Amino acid sequence: MFKTKLILSDRPLNINIKSDDIKFINLSSLKIANCIGCYGCWTKTPGKCVIRDDAVKIYPDIAKSDKLLYISRIKYGGYDTIMKTMLERAIPVQQAFIRLVAGETHHVQREVAPKNATIIAYGEISDEEKEIFRKLVARNAHNMNFESYQIIFTTELQLEETVASEVEKWEASLS
Amino acid sequence: MGSIIILNGSPRAPKSNSKRYAGIFSDNCKCNTEYFNISKTNHYELCGKLGNFTDMLFVFPLYADGIPVTLLNFLKTLEQNPPENKPVVSILINCGFLEYKQNDVAVSMMKLFCKQNGYRFGSVLKIGSGEAILDTPFKLLVVRKIKKFADSISLSRYCTLQTTMPISPKMFVKASTTYWTNYGKRNGITKEQMETMQIEK
Ligand SMILES: Cc1cc2nc3c(=O)[nH]c(=O)nc-3n(C[C@H](O)[C@H](O)[C@H](O)COP(=O)(O)O)c2cc1C
């Protein structure tokens, strides 16, 4: 399987990515409707969403990536609308069928590379909100094939700086 | 006695399991209930109604370990358009997996919304195996729990309840495989086709 490095952001960012191996996608510039829970991607056209908008270009990239960076505003301790909409639309990468992961029931993944994920969560985030978000990502890890992950909390003001510093680390490890 | 507005936050509200759970709730509730689906276009209309009720019940599924975007967007509108008299917020959440505990993060999100916006938090019912349980003999357990849940709200004796299929995870894997295989069959899709490892190919 061909693996990629992927950055998904819920807003445009003014950062300079030198490496051609890193793909940056600004979700806010795309047309992505919300999942309607029809399960067509599991039971009608397995592996493909029935809504043919921009999301169908993104979840294959998520599946292929072994290094993944999500950048999202936080709302009520979870991802805000733009990122959450994309994550809900990504269920075609799983099968309907269920297996046990650490004794718990979860879906079987299709061809999804195990991931080293970083989540940059930004906004005015209280300690309570951070705690909820940490629990959320720990759950996501089981469902989204994260082998390892780290969460970085930052403010909107410091966001570009935080992202740039992560990207630099990625580029250093690639060269 | 109070009155309860039931809001369905499932993205497929008109055909959802949440709607069936809400129906069982209304059938077993001693106070007046009024039911609405949350749609993309009725947020303001719903916000305008809330002040007339003592309690508000959100019925919704777990989506990607959190609250579905349909509900998230409604909460954001509600935050900007709060009713003068705020009803007590209760929630009935269901998830596809066996473990009702997988709903806990979404419950925390709803509690945080209430705290940030000055709503009293009421009762919770967490349902595991919620995609399929209503079409099994275990429906009985759900009906019993929903009755108890409805009583807790109508008597303002708020509490947290949960239920799921009383089977082992291994048995659940087997049962769900049959469930989904039959689901595909109704669409003319075989188990092997459903098991494809390919994405968008
Ligand atoms: C996009 C999407 C994401 C889902 N995520 C989860 C999940 O993280 N955990 C879970 O147990 N079930 C998950 N489910 C399953 C639903 O919670 C389950 O099918 C539920 O019964 C749907 O309720 P509804 O018919 O009221 O919408 C998900 C379903 C969809 C369509």
Side-chain angles (χ1 to χ4, degrees):
Chain A
M1 187 175 18
F2 177 69
K3 297 190 182 121
T4 55
K5 324 282 165 210
L6 177 67
I7 302 177
L8 280 191
S9 173
D10 68 353
R11 49 173 280 170
L13 287 172
N14 191 9
I15 48 162
N16 182 12
I17 299 172
K18 292 175 217 101
S19 166
D20 291 337
D21 294 331
I22 301 176
K23 189 166 180 179
F24 177 90
I25 298 171
N26 165 20
L27 294 172
S28 69
S29 69
L30 304 178
K31 207 175 156 280
I32 300 177
N34 70 290
C35 171
I36 51 167
C38 70
Y39 291 130
C41 61
W42 292 349
T43 65
K44 272 196 186 122
T45 53
K48 291 183 186 168
C49 180
V50 302
I51 308 173
R52 306 310 293 168
D53 63 8
D54 289 332
V56 308
K57 290 184 263 171
I58 310 297
Y59 58 73
D61 280 342
I62 295 178
K64 271 186 244 154
S65 67
D66 62 343
K67 242 174 150 8
L68 183 64
L69 173 59
Y70 286 155
I71 300 161
S72 178
R73 185 184 292 284
I74 298 304
K75 192 74 187 165
Y76 312 133
Y79 305 94
D80 203 349
T81 302
I82 295 175
M83 183 62 69
K84 185 67 185 353
T85 303
M86 185 56 233
L87 295 180
E88 291 181 3
R89 288 290 304 284
I91 66 163
V93 310
Q94 304 179 337
Q95 297 178 7
F97 300 111
I98 290 174
R99 59 176 175 157
L100 297 184
V101 178
E104 244 181 30
T105 55
H106 291 279
H107 288 288
V108 176
Q109 305 272 328
R110 300 191 200 275
E111 202 175 355
V112 177
K115 297 171 199 324
N116 171 332
T118 300
I119 293 106
I120 297 183
Y122 71 89
E124 298 302 318
I125 313 170
S126 68
D127 285 345
E128 187 180 0
E129 217 169 351
K130 284 181 186 168
E131 202 40 47
I132 296 172
F133 192 69
R134 284 193 195 100
K135 289 190 177 136
L136 172 66
V137 178
R139 283 240 143 267
N140 289 161
H142 287 130
N143 291 320
M144 300 175 180
N145 228 10
F146 295 172
E147 215 168 46
S148 60
Y149 66 85
Q150 59 162 340
I151 302 169
I152 301 171
F153 293 105
T154 189
T155 59
E156 189 161 7
L157 215 62
Q158 305 218 294
L159 180 60
E160 282 183 350
E161 213 177 295
T162 312
V163 174
S165 128
E166 272 314 293
V167 171
E168 260 172 47
K169 280 188 219 158
W170 280 23
E171 287 180 328
S173 71
L174 286 173
S175 59
Chain B
M1 187 145 294
S3 55
I4 306 174
I5 182 165
I6 305 175
L7 299 181
N8 184 345
S10 168
R12 56 178 185 186
K15 288 195 261 174
S16 62
N17 293 314
S18 296
K19 185 175 180 184
R20 295 175 74 188
Y21 293 123
I24 299 171
F25 182 94
S26 297
D27 291 346
N28 288 281
C29 187
K30 295 191 183 81
C31 39
N32 239 0
T33 62
E34 261 187 74
Y35 170 92
F36 300 92
N37 298 327
I38 297 173
S39 74
K40 282 204 177 89
T41 50
N42 69 357
H43 291 186
Y44 293 111
E45 183 194 330
L46 294 179
C47 291
K49 291 184 193 290
L50 300 180
N52 304 328
F53 296 86
T54 55
D55 287 87
M56 152 156 81
L57 171 61
F58 286 106
V59 192
F60 62 96
L62 185 67
Y63 259 41
D65 301 304
I67 60 178
V69 169
T70 303
L71 177 56
L72 172 62
N73 288 344
F74 175 72
L75 294 179
K76 284 158 68 173
T77 309
L78 179 56
E79 187 160 278
Q80 299 303 321
N81 302 275
E84 213 164 291
N85 298 312
K86 291 179 177 166
V88 180
V89 173
S90 292
I91 66 182
L92 193 170
I93 180 169
N94 92 91
C95 73
F97 295 137
L98 177 66
E99 302 84 8
Y100 56 74
K101 271 186 159 294
Q102 296 210 32
N103 292 307
D104 285 351
V105 177
V107 173
S108 306
M109 290 174 178
M110 295 302 292
K111 280 189 179 158
L112 184 72
F113 166 82
C114 289
K115 191 171 161 186
Q116 287 178 348
N117 290 280
Y119 291 84
R120 180 171 171 210
F121 193 79
S123 290
V124 181
L125 174 57
K126 295 179 269 184
I127 300 176
S129 62
E131 169 71 23
I133 195 167
L134 287 180
D135 297 314
T136 72
F138 304 128
K139 177 179 180 184
L140 209 75
L141 300 178
V142 179
V143 173
R144 214 181 287 157
K145 268 295 150 77
I146 291 182
K147 212 174 199 161
K148 207 166 156 191
F149 176 65
D151 283 346
S152 80
I153 298 173
S154 46
L155 300 170
S156 305
R157 284 201 210 119
Y158 300 108
C159 63
T160 295
L161 301 165
Q162 50 265 318
T163 191
T164 187
M165 292 186 192
I167 60 175
S168 69
K170 262 198 185 146
M171 287 249 310
F172 181 77
V173 169
K174 247 183 162 174
S176 64
T177 302
T178 308
Y179 175 88
W180 287 111
T181 305
N182 288 335
Y183 206 125
K185 214 183 265 170
R186 288 196 296 273
N187 295 327
I189 300 292
T190 65
K191 180 160 185 275
E192 289 67 35
Q193 286 173 311
M194 287 173 70
E195 281 171 337
T196 180
M197 295 302 274
Q198 304 208 327
I199 297 162
E200 279 299 315
K201 275 183 202 148

